Amino acid sequence: MTNHHTIRLNGPWEMIAGLSDEPQRVKLPQGWPDIVSASHAGPVMLQRWFHRPTGIDDGSRVELILIDLPFSGSASVNDTSLGPFPAQQEHAIHLGEHLTQRCCLTLSVERLADLGNAIPVPQISLAIHPPD
């Protein structure tokens, strides 16, 4: 059994699709079909602001958890690259030293997964693990 607190990053995201400078608001999980559709037409970037979680001790570990995203891509927080992530898998990325009082998470869509007619219900969240 895992001993961590999960914060889902649903809520409003900004989607910048194609060459547009105007972001479109999408609410997850309902907005996944819009993101997949926009990705067929060109590059897509998703951004979401969040505050540094409260109650993090010095020994706590904070991870970005990506589950079943319908695309592979790369992630960054506060303009610092967190590296690539795979499509349709669970992927954890350590965030600890990158967290500030207000954080901007950016997911760049690089390649859509072969979804057939199904769009999974992905999850984006933070996992806060207590000190060991």
Side-chain angles (χ1 to χ4, degrees):
M1 183 173 183
T2 58
N3 183 21
H4 68 271
H5 176 68
T6 300
I7 300 171
R8 290 193 180 196
L9 296 177
N10 289 335
W13 284 73
E14 291 186 348
M15 176 177 69
I16 300 169
L19 301 175
S20 173
D21 289 333
E22 289 296 317
Q24 174 186 350
R25 289 179 77 85
V26 290
K27 180 152 173 66
L28 300 180
Q30 299 90 337
W32 283 112
D34 296 334
I35 295 166
V36 169
S37 179
S39 297
H40 285 293
V44 171
M45 184 172 63
L46 301 170
Q47 287 189 321
R48 186 182 189 287
W49 289 89
F50 63 94
H51 292 281
R52 184 179 191 274
T54 58
I56 298 175
D57 297 329
D58 287 341
S60 297
R61 190 175 79 246
V62 180
E63 295 177 319
L64 172 65
I65 306 294
L66 307 172
I67 300 173
D68 290 335
L69 295 187
F71 52 82
S72 60
S74 59
S76 65
V77 68
N78 302 326
D79 294 324
T80 300
S81 175
L82 301 173
F85 58 84
Q88 296 184 299
Q89 296 179 25
E90 183 170 339
H91 188 69
I93 303 169
H94 179 69
L95 287 182
E97 64 273 4
H98 303 297
L99 293 175
T100 58
Q101 283 304 107
R102 189 161 189 251
C103 301
C104 181
L105 173 61
T106 303
L107 301 178
S108 296
V109 177
E110 291 175 9
R111 187 172 175 181
L112 278 175
D114 182 13
L115 301 172
N117 292 329
I119 296 177
V121 180
Q123 181 180 324
I124 303 170
S125 59
L126 299 178
I128 302 168
H129 303 270
D132 294 330

